[in-house]
């Protein structure tokens, strides 16, 4: 373990083996930092934050900050971060507002400079938040989603797995899995074919999702519910990836970006 003499670490914090804590880092009460994690310099980890193994935080990242939700009444709230996450410069991640609804981040995620994860958000695995990507409170982000630079996601929205949200996008409804959304306001522009191919999706899945895009998103003037009924009658709708898309649409509360 290597701890710089200028670092300030609460006696109530638990630091795992082989961690590196650089100059001017501050670690608060009831923080757990997993083995082989690195805080490069000037990193602040506030109270009641649990961070897994092999995480890497760059200068001025602030993790576990108090929620910005005005309903917060000083309760004991939490942030849970998994393994192998990278937080570049000035990233901010906040704790939950209520004890029973912590903010959670999975494994193998990359947060680039100035990205922000608000209270009660649930982030999956292998996601990428580009520079200044921002998600408001209670947002759920599925595995392998990419949120591009300067884009913003409204509170309570869902960002589907394997989707891509383009730069500068304004997202006020759920981003469908496997798709690319873009614009202000956002619309679904096509299937995330390159991303799916890079992740080894079989051709039959990609063909089924292409059909789903054409039936559900290409003709935006048609009723989505009616189009979904038509698509469900096609053989492609039985594909597992298509089924995941159908379930996502059917369980939306805010509506779907089309």
């Amino acid at each position: 373990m290597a701890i710089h003499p200028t670092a300030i670490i609460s006696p109530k914090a638990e630091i795992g083996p082989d961690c590196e804590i650089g100059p001017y880092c501050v670690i608060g009460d009831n923080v757990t930092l997993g083995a082989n994690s690195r805080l490069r310099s000037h990193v602040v980890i506030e109270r009641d934050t649990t961070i897994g193994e092999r995480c890497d935080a760059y200068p001025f990242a602030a993790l576990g900050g108090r929620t910005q939700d005005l309903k917060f009444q000083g309760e004991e709230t939490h942030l849970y971060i998994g393994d192998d996450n990278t937080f570049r410069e000035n990233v901010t991640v906040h704790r939950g507002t209520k004890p029973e609804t912590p903010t959670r981040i999975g494994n193998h995620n990359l947060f680039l400079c100035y990205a922000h994860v608000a209270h009660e958000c649930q982030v999956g695995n292998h996601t990428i938040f580009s520079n200044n990507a921002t998600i408001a409170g209670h947002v759920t982000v599925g595995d392998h989603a990419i949120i591009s630079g300067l884009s913003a996601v409204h509170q309570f929205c869902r960002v589907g797995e394997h989707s891509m949200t383009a730069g500068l996008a304004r997202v006020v409804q759920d981003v469908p899995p496997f798709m690319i959304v873009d614009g202000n306001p956002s619309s679904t522009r096509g299937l995330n074919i390159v991303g799916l191919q890079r992740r080894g999706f079989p051709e039959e899945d990609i063909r089924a999702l292409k059909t789903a895009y054409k039936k559900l998103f290409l003709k935006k003037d048609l009723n989505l519910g009616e189009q979904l009924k038509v698509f469900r009658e096609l053989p492609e709708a039985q594909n597992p990836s298509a089924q995941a898309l159908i379930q996502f649409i059917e369980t939306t509360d805010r509506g779907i970006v089309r």
Side-chain angles (χ1 to χ4, degrees):
M1 185 184 302
I3 300 178
H4 195 274
T6 60
I8 300 173
I9 302 174
S10 167
K12 296 180 181 180
E14 180 179 338
I15 309 300
D18 300 314
C19 287
E20 181 179 338
I21 301 175
Y24 303 104
C25 293
V26 179
I27 299 178
D29 293 348
N30 304 318
V31 167
T32 299
L33 183 63
N36 296 290
S37 289
R38 182 180 184 185
L39 311 182
R40 293 175 180 256
S41 74
H42 299 84
V43 176
V44 176
I45 304 177
E46 296 196 31
R47 59 176 302 125
D48 301 311
T49 296
T50 299
I51 299 176
E53 299 183 355
R54 298 175 302 278
C55 289
D56 192 357
Y58 281 68
F60 306 104
L63 310 177
R66 170 178 166 162
T67 173
Q68 296 179 124
D69 191 332
L70 297 179
K71 297 188 295 296
F72 181 64
Q73 298 296 319
E75 300 94 331
E76 184 177 295
T77 59
H78 301 275
L79 165 63
Y80 296 104
I81 296 172
D83 301 330
D84 299 292
N85 293 291
T86 298
F87 302 91
R88 293 303 303 258
E89 295 84 353
N90 297 283
V91 169
T92 52
V93 184
H94 290 167
R95 304 193 310 274
T97 303
K98 298 292 182 181
E100 64 273 16
T101 54
T103 304
R104 293 185 185 274
I105 292 174
N107 306 315
H108 299 281
N109 298 289
L110 173 59
F111 301 87
L112 299 185
C113 299
Y114 293 95
H116 175 64
V117 178
H119 57 92
E120 271 91 10
C121 286
Q122 309 293 304
V123 178
N125 307 307
H126 300 281
T127 69
I128 298 175
F129 285 59
S130 294
N131 296 56
N132 292 96
T134 297
I135 58 175
H138 304 272
V139 167
T140 299
V141 181
D143 294 348
H144 294 280
I146 296 175
I147 303 179
S148 298
L150 295 163
S151 56
V153 181
H154 193 278
Q155 62 184 356
F156 293 101
C157 286
R158 298 179 299 163
V159 178
E161 61 182 329
H162 299 281
S163 65
M164 174 178 282
T165 301
L168 297 170
R170 177 171 69 93
V171 177
V172 297
Q173 292 178 304
D174 292 350
V175 175
F178 315 112
M179 302 295 166
I180 297 174
V181 304
D182 186 21
N184 181 1
S186 293
S187 62
T188 298
R189 301 300 178 91
L191 182 64
N192 186 16
I193 296 176
V194 173
L196 298 178
Q197 290 173 335
R198 287 175 177 173
R199 294 173 199 129
F201 272 67
E203 280 302 315
E204 57 266 28
D205 285 38
I206 293 176
R207 284 196 299 269
L209 290 169
K210 282 182 178 178
T211 301
Y213 169 71
K214 292 176 183 177
K215 295 296 183 182
L216 301 176
F217 300 103
L218 194 57
K219 297 181 179 179
K220 304 180 190 303
D221 56 327
L222 299 178
N223 179 273
L224 179 59
E226 294 299 321
Q227 292 301 102
L228 189 59
K229 290 179 182 179
V230 173
F231 176 64
R232 290 180 70 98
E233 299 300 320
L234 299 179
E236 291 88 345
Q238 305 310 311
N239 178 272
S241 294
Q243 285 288 306
L245 175 60
I246 291 170
Q247 182 183 35
F248 186 92
I249 294 172
E250 291 180 334
T251 56
T252 185
D253 289 326
R254 292 192 57 84
I256 299 293
V257 173
R258 294 189 72 196

